[in-house]
Amino acid sequence: MIQRSMQVLAALLSVWEFHQTKFEPVVLIEELDIDKRLLAYWRKEGLLPFIEKGRWAKLSFMQVLWINMLNAAHSLGLPLRRLKDLTDYFIKRAYDDDLPKKNLEYNKKKLEHKAKLHPLTAEEADLLHQINDRLKNDVLLYADKWDINYFSNLVTEVILDEKKGGVLIYPDFIAEYVEDRYRVVGSQEVDLEEPHVNIPLHPFLKRFIRNEDLVSFQQFPEFLNEDEKRVLQSIRDNKIQSISITRSGKGKNLRIDVTKTGKLTP
């Protein structure tokens, strides 16, 4: 059992493989590089609601990511109170909001809107059928509440959008971000010049996802101007076949034209 689980950790996945298996229980909790007594304390304090008392079996990749984030916050000196704030923000709030059902209803609405514009593909039609079936199954919806939360939503958004993302912890509130998009609960505003703790997801994802799949997650160096960033972004897009760059207005204006292959990357 331990050997099989270690092989899972050692064999890095593609982004798509990770996305498809992120909720499967494959990692033995004994293999985490975290004191088991600390994990037991966190479970007792409600930070690991997905682990039932007396059951220390296997964890999913998503649950391991959550534990890694808690451990990073703990290592940076954040007190238990702030770890509970993180749990309330990402997990308890999702449970109270019935987030799995909200996710399904959101995706159903998108597919139904798309179907009004043009016929769905076979895969899209099958997905819509699966969503409708799951929305009718209260047992599965309840089970999903132990896996799907605002943290898993954030991780999913980061890997599918291929963007940098993470969590910002301020003295009075918590924010999440994907690139330069920030989300908070309430009326607080994110000010990066104010004191805060930044916990990026990228270092944790590197433990599961192949490095070449994470290249596009890298942030552009600060010395690049906006035009240079646009060119590099186009180069990194596997769907781009050719790039044409022209200047006008005595070199002041830059025009970037791209031609796409029409092929979808896996």
Side-chain angles (χ1 to χ4, degrees), residues 169-171 191-197:
I169 305 172
Y170 286 85
D191 185 347
L192 298 181
E193 294 186 359
E194 290 294 322
H196 66 278
V197 172

Side-chain angles (χ1 to χ4, degrees), residues 29-257:
I29 199 165
E30 289 85 353
E31 296 174 5
L32 299 181
D33 189 23
I34 301 175
D35 190 331
K36 193 171 180 180
R37 291 171 297 180
L38 181 60
L39 292 175
Y41 176 63
W42 285 349
R43 189 206 60 77
K44 179 182 177 183
E45 294 295 331
L47 306 183
L48 308 175
F50 46 82
I51 300 179
E52 296 182 39
K53 184 177 180 180
R55 293 192 178 183
W56 295 83
K58 293 181 180 180
L59 301 173
S60 67
F61 293 137
M62 194 65 69
Q63 291 167 344
V64 173
L65 288 175
W66 171 253
I67 291 174
N68 284 333
M69 188 184 73
L70 285 180
N71 192 50
H74 171 73
S75 300
L76 291 169
L78 272 69
L80 178 65
R81 174 181 60 84
R82 299 302 278 147
L83 301 187
K84 287 186 175 182
D85 288 343
L86 283 170
T87 307
D88 288 345
Y89 180 91
F90 283 108
I91 297 182
K92 185 179 183 300
R93 183 168 59 95
Y95 189 92
D96 294 340
D97 289 349
D98 204 1
L99 184 62
K101 186 175 182 180
K102 288 177 65 174
N103 281 354
L104 289 171
E105 289 175 340
Y106 173 79
N107 289 323
K108 176 183 177 180
K109 186 176 180 180
K110 282 182 62 178
L111 287 170
E112 289 177 340
H113 175 72
K114 191 173 184 179
K116 293 178 180 179
L117 302 178
H118 54 77
L120 297 177
T121 65
E123 292 80 5
E124 290 169 338
D126 183 59
L127 177 58
L128 181 57
H129 178 72
Q130 292 180 37
I131 289 174
N132 284 324
D133 282 348
R134 204 165 189 91
L135 283 170
K136 298 174 184 176
N137 194 321
D138 291 336
V139 175
L140 290 179
L141 286 174
Y142 178 77
D144 287 344
K145 294 179 75 168
W146 297 105
D147 287 326
I148 298 172
N149 50 60
Y150 287 110
F151 180 74
S152 66
N153 271 16
L154 173 62
V155 173
T156 299
E157 183 179 355
V158 164
I159 63 174
L160 293 185
D161 288 357
E162 297 186 350
K163 302 292 186 182
K164 285 276 191 176
V167 181
L168 304 178
I169 305 172
Y170 286 85
D172 300 322
F173 69 97
I174 292 168
E176 51 188 300
Y177 67 92
V178 179
E179 286 291 296
D180 57 354
R181 306 193 305 270
Y182 301 94
R183 287 192 293 266
V184 299
V185 175
S187 58
Q188 297 94 339
E189 293 186 6
V190 171
D191 185 347
L192 298 181
E193 294 186 359
E194 290 294 322
H196 66 278
V197 172
N198 177 17
I199 302 181
L201 295 177
H202 190 266
F204 309 140
L205 291 171
K206 287 197 301 184
R207 302 176 188 180
F208 302 111
I209 299 175
R210 293 195 298 255
N211 186 61
E212 56 266 32
D213 278 25
L214 293 175
V215 169
S216 58
F217 288 47
Q218 302 293 332
Q219 291 178 328
F220 293 114
E222 290 301 320
F223 56 81
L224 295 182
N225 62 39
E226 290 304 314
D227 289 336
E228 292 168 331
K229 290 179 182 179
R230 289 168 59 201
V231 172
L232 284 180
Q233 185 67 62
S234 298
I235 291 173
R236 290 176 176 176
D237 188 342
N238 291 331
K239 299 176 186 177
I240 299 300
Q241 186 176 58
S242 64
I243 305 173
S244 174
I245 304 173
T246 56
R247 283 197 178 275
S248 60
K250 297 182 179 181
K252 294 181 180 179
N253 301 318
L254 184 69
R255 175 174 174 175
I256 302 173
D257 296 308

